[in-house]
Amino acid sequence: MTIYDISNKAGVSIATVSRVLNGSNKVRPDTRKKVMDIIEQYDYTPNVFARGMGLHSLKTIGILCADSSDLFLAKAVYYIEQELQSNGYESLLCCTGYNLDIKKNYLSLIVSKKVDAIVLVGSNFIGTTEEENQYIKDVSAQVPIMLLNASFSHPNVYSIYCDDYRSMFEAATSMLDAGIRDILYLYNADSYSGKKKLKGFQDAMQARGITDYEKFIQFYEGSLEQINDIASFTSQIAKDITFHGIITSEDALAIGCIKYAQKAGICIPDDLSVIGYNNSMLTTCCTPELSSVDNCLKSQAHQLVQTLLGVLDGEAMPAKSIFSGKLVKRGTTRF
Amino acid sequence: MTIYDISNKAGVSIATVSRVLNGSNKVRPDTRKKVMDIIEQYDYTPNVFARGMGLHSLKTIGILCADSSDLFLAKAVYYIEQELQSNGYESLLCCTGYNLDIKKNYLSLIVSKKVDAIVLVGSNFIGTTEEENQYIKDVSAQVPIMLLNASFSHPNVYSIYCDDYRSMFEAATSMLDAGIRDILYLYNADSYSGKKKLKGFQDAMQARGITDYEKFIQFYEGSLEQINDIASFTSQIAKDITFHGIITSEDALAIGCIKYAQKAGICIPDDLSVIGYNNSMLTTCCTPELSSVDNCLKSQAHQLVQTLLGVLDGEAMPAKSIFSGKLVKRGTTRF
DNA sequence: TTGTATGCGTTATCAG
DNA sequence: CTGATAACGCATACAA
C-alpha cells in the first residue's frame, strides 16, 4: 500500500491524499472523507522513510544513558519516554556504558539516525575539561541537546538538574547541627553531579569549622548492585576511622552502610546516622528506613520534555532549569 | 554532504561510492581507498531515510516493555539493548503501560517505523484468550516477534522464558519439605508468567496433600515501589489467617513481607520463612537477606538476541527456548 | 480546491 | 570493475 494505491482507489491525486494525511485544511470535507475511508479500509500507514526524506525528521528523540538498569537512570528514562510518547515523539534508546570514547561513538551514531533532539540522561556525560566536552558542542550544532541532571553552558544545549551542591550542603549541615561531626562521605562517581555533591559536603564541613574531613571522604569503586561488597568496604573503612554519621551519593551505598552497621552491631540511628541520595525505592526496603535526599527526578523529566517541545517549536526556552532537592527524613536519622 | 558530493570529489560515480559504503568486494582496492579518504575527510554519513527507502530496513529493533522502571523489566531491556548494540542493531524503545489497547496502539506504531523485529519484554503482553493475542498474530505476519519471559505458539513468534511453573513448584515443595505447610502466596500480576507461578504453587500444595490452600493465595494490587503498603497489606492478611511461610511472585513483595514481620516482631527465618522471585538486587538490601528464585534473566536476554540474529539471517531457529530457574537460598529460609 | 511534476539520497539493475 | 539510470514513497511548489 502506497500513497498511489490510495489515490487510485479514492479517485484523487496523491497530493490530495498527502493533504488529508497531513491535516491540511485546504481539502473539501467530502473529499477528505472519501480518502479517509479508503485509508481506514486498507489500514494504510505512510512509509516513514519516504516521509522522513521530505521532512528531515521522524519525530524521534534519541535518548542516551549509561546504564538503563541503574535504578536512578531507569526511572529517568521511563519518565522521559512516557512524556515524549504522549506528545507524539518516539524514543531511540542507547545504553552507552561509562567509557567516554564509546559514548562519543554512540552519540554520532544516533545523530546519523536523524533524530530531532538528543537527551543525555545522567551527569556522567559531562566531563571536567573543555576537550572532554567537545563532542557535545559538535553535536549541538546539528540538533538540540537536553541534559538531565547535568549542566553545560553552550548554545543549543539545555540543562535540567537538581542543585546537588546545595542539597548535599544542607543535608550535611543538618547532620552537623544535630551534633554529629565525624561524618563519613561515601561516593561512587566523579561525574558532574558527583563532584557537586562532594563539594557540597566539603563546604558544609568547612562552614562548621571542621578541617580534617578529607580522610572521611571515601570512593567506592564496585557495582551498586553488590550491597554486600559495599558493606565490606564500609567495614574496612571503620577499622581506620571512627564515624557517627554517613552520607552517601547514592541510596544503594547507604543501604550497604546500614548492612555494615547491622553486622557490626551498631545501632541506627542511635549510634550512627545515615543519609542517602535519590530517594529511591531502596529507602523503604531497609530497616530502619533510609533518610534520603529527593532530587525530584519526575519534575526534572517533565521540565526536560516541556523545554524540548518548546525548543523544537522554535520558542525561546530557558537554557537551565534548576530544581531544589530536599532531605526526606526517615528512620536512619534522629534529627 | 550527499553521495553525489562524495562521488564528485572522488572522481567516481555514485554507484561506486555506494559499493564502497556497503562493503561490496567488487571495487578495486585503490578506488576504494580513494573514496574512503574523501568520506573520512568530509566525515560523510549516508542519509538514513534514503537508505531505509532502498533497503526497507534500518537495522533497528523495536523493544516494547510495560514499564522500563520496573526492576526486572529494566534489567531485561538493558541486557537486550546491550547485546543488540554490539551486534550492530539499534533499539527503539516504547514503554506501553499495562493497558491492552494502548499496547496494541504502540505495537502498530512501532511496526510502521519499519523495525526489523519486535521484542516484547515481560509476560504481560500475552493474554489468556485467542482474541487478546490476535494483535500479536497480525504483527507477526510482518516482522518476527521475540518474547522475553513469555510463551506463545505462532509462526514467526519466538519465545524465550524461564520455566516459572517448575521453578515455583520446586520452591514451594522445598518449603513444604522443610515442614512448613501454611504458606502464604502473594502475587501481583495475572500475566502469563504470573499464572504459571501461581499454578506451580498450587500444584505443589496439592502434591503434598494440602487442600485448603486457596485462602492462602492473595493478590496485591498496589505499586511494587510502595514497600510499606505491601507490609500493611500483609499485616491485614495476618489478621485473618496464620502462616509460617511466604512465597511471592516478586522480590519487592517479599521485601514488604519482611518489613511486616519486623514490625510485628516475628523472627525470620525462625518463625517465618520467606522466598521471593527474580533474584534481584533487592534480595541483598534487607536483613536477613532474601531467598529468591533466580530466573536467569541475563541468559534469557542473550538467548533472545542470538535467536533473533539467526532469524534475521534467515536461519531456522528454535521457536521456544526454555531455561530452568533455581532457588537461591539466603537468610530468610532455614532449609 | 485539486492535480502535475519534481526533488529527496540511496540502493539495485542493468549495460559497458 | 565501473557508470548510467530506474526505482523507492512521499511532500510540496506550482499550475490549473
Side-chain angles (χ1 to χ4, degrees), chain A residues 14-196:
Chain A
I14 61 161
T16 302
V17 178
S18 181
R19 286 188 195 101
V20 171
L21 244 28
N22 294 289
S24 162
N25 47 6
K26 297 185 181 304
V27 180
R28 213 192 308 148
D30 57 328
T31 312
R32 175 186 304 280
K33 180 168 179 2
K34 190 169 57 181
V35 174
M36 280 304 280
D37 285 348
I38 303 286
I39 290 178
E40 306 254 315
Q41 184 183 336
Y42 290 88
D43 202 23
Y44 161 74
T45 335
N47 179 299
V48 276
F49 299 138
R51 172 170 270 185
M53 232 162 78
L55 295 175
H56 291 291
S57 153
L58 268 185
K59 296 208 69 156
T60 301
I61 308 296
I63 300 181
L64 263 62
C65 93
D67 174 0
S68 70
S69 76
D70 174 283
L71 222 49
F72 178 78
L73 299 178
K75 243 194 158 32
V77 169
Y78 176 71
Y79 286 137
I80 293 172
E81 200 275 346
Q82 285 289 288
E83 284 237 18
L84 286 175
Q85 197 74 254
S86 63
N87 283 284
Y89 282 88
E90 296 200 47
S91 307
L92 198 56
L93 175 72
C94 279
C95 303
T96 62
Y98 292 95
N99 177 287
L100 181 62
D101 284 332
I102 298 181
K103 283 195 282 207
K104 284 183 188 173
N105 277 344
Y106 281 138
L107 191 56
S108 58
L109 197 110
I110 209 165
V111 168
S112 77
K113 297 275 178 178
K114 303 283 182 194
V115 291
D116 299 300
I118 288 176
V119 181
L120 303 180
V121 179
S123 65
N124 53 73
F125 286 94
I126 305 296
T128 337
T129 66
E130 280 295 298
E131 195 206 339
E132 274 180 297
N133 296 325
Q134 185 60 44
Y135 78 113
I136 294 184
K137 295 184 188 172
D138 294 343
V139 173
S140 71
Q142 307 186 42
V143 289
I145 295 197
M146 311 299 300
L147 263 32
L148 186 84
N149 210 33
S151 173
F152 185 64
S153 300
H154 196 73
N156 217 20
V157 176
Y158 298 83
S159 310
I160 286 83
Y161 58 100
C162 171
D163 187 349
D164 290 319
Y165 169 83
R166 172 123 241 100
S167 306
M168 192 53 97
F169 183 92
E170 286 171 2
T173 300
S174 64
M175 192 177 271
L176 286 164
D177 287 349
I180 304 168
R181 296 175 64 84
D182 46 355
I183 305 175
L184 173 66
Y185 184 82
L186 212 57
Y187 70 117
N188 74 316
D190 273 323
S191 62
Y192 173 85
S193 92
K195 289 198 178 68
K196 290 288 181 190

Side-chain angles (χ1 to χ4, degrees), chain B residues 102-171:
Chain B
I102 299 181
K103 282 195 282 209
K104 285 183 188 173
N105 278 343
Y106 281 139
L107 191 55
S108 58
L109 197 110
I110 209 165
V111 169
S112 77
K113 297 276 179 178
K114 303 282 180 195
V115 291
D116 298 300
I118 288 177
V119 181
L120 302 181
V121 179
S123 66
N124 54 74
F125 285 94
I126 305 297
T128 337
T129 67
E130 282 294 298
E131 196 207 335
E132 275 180 298
N133 295 325
Q134 185 59 44
Y135 77 113
I136 294 183
K137 295 183 188 173
D138 294 343
V139 173
S140 71
Q142 307 187 41
V143 289
I145 295 197
M146 312 298 300
L147 262 33
L148 186 85
N149 209 34
S151 174
F152 185 64
S153 298
H154 195 74
N156 217 20
V157 177
Y158 298 84
S159 310
I160 286 85
Y161 58 100
C162 173
D163 187 349
D164 290 320
Y165 170 83
R166 173 124 241 101
S167 306
M168 191 53 95
F169 183 91
E170 285 171 2

Side-chain angles (χ1 to χ4, degrees), chain B residues 57-115:
Chain B
S57 152
L58 268 183
K59 296 208 67 154
T60 302
I61 308 297
I63 300 180
L64 261 60
C65 92
D67 174 0
S68 71
S69 78
D70 173 284
L71 222 49
F72 179 77
L73 299 177
K75 243 192 159 36
V77 169
Y78 176 72
Y79 287 137
I80 293 172
E81 199 276 345
Q82 285 288 289
E83 284 237 18
L84 286 175
Q85 197 73 256
S86 62
N87 284 286
Y89 282 87
E90 296 201 45
S91 308
L92 199 53
L93 174 72
C94 278
C95 304
T96 63
Y98 292 94
N99 177 287
L100 182 61
D101 284 331
I102 299 181
K103 282 195 282 209
K104 285 183 188 173
N105 278 343
Y106 281 139
L107 191 55
S108 58
L109 197 110
I110 209 165
V111 169
S112 77
K113 297 276 179 178
K114 303 282 180 195
V115 291

Side-chain angles (χ1 to χ4, degrees), chain A residues 160-323:
Chain A
I160 286 83
Y161 58 100
C162 171
D163 187 349
D164 290 319
Y165 169 83
R166 172 123 241 100
S167 306
M168 192 53 97
F169 183 92
E170 286 171 2
T173 300
S174 64
M175 192 177 271
L176 286 164
D177 287 349
I180 304 168
R181 296 175 64 84
D182 46 355
I183 305 175
L184 173 66
Y185 184 82
L186 212 57
Y187 70 117
N188 74 316
D190 273 323
S191 62
Y192 173 85
S193 92
K195 289 198 178 68
K196 290 288 181 190
K197 293 177 202 168
L198 178 57
K199 191 71 167 54
F201 172 78
Q202 291 169 320
D203 285 2
M205 297 301 272
Q206 276 187 333
R208 284 295 182 275
I210 296 174
T211 50
D212 63 337
Y213 55 78
E214 282 302 330
K215 67 173 178 183
F216 287 95
I217 297 173
Q218 298 284 338
F219 186 85
Y220 170 75
E221 282 215 28
S223 157
L224 289 179
E225 301 220 349
Q226 303 302 321
I227 302 294
N228 281 314
D229 290 352
I230 301 171
S232 313
F233 181 74
T234 312
S235 163
Q236 285 299 321
I237 297 170
K239 288 180 182 165
D240 297 330
I241 59 175
T242 307
F243 48 82
H244 291 85
I246 302 180
I247 299 180
T248 69
S249 67
E250 287 272 352
D251 283 337
L253 291 175
I255 300 286
C257 293
I258 293 175
K259 173 146 281 189
Y260 143 75
Q262 283 170 335
K263 282 182 182 165
I266 298 168
C267 182
I268 297 176
D270 295 339
D271 302 328
L272 179 65
S273 294
V274 183
I275 295 179
Y277 208 99
N278 282 352
N279 198 32
S280 69
M281 74 169 292
L282 295 182
T283 57
T284 54
C285 285
C286 51
T287 311
E289 294 188 358
L290 179 64
S291 300
S292 181
V293 176
D294 183 1
N295 50 8
C296 43
L297 179 54
K298 190 168 186 178
S299 308
Q300 282 192 52
H302 177 75
Q303 179 65 26
L304 184 143
V305 174
Q306 291 310 311
T307 305
L308 175 52
L309 294 174
V311 169
L312 293 175
D313 256 22
E315 296 168 27
M317 298 305 274
K320 291 183 195 294
S321 305
I322 308 171
F323 289 81

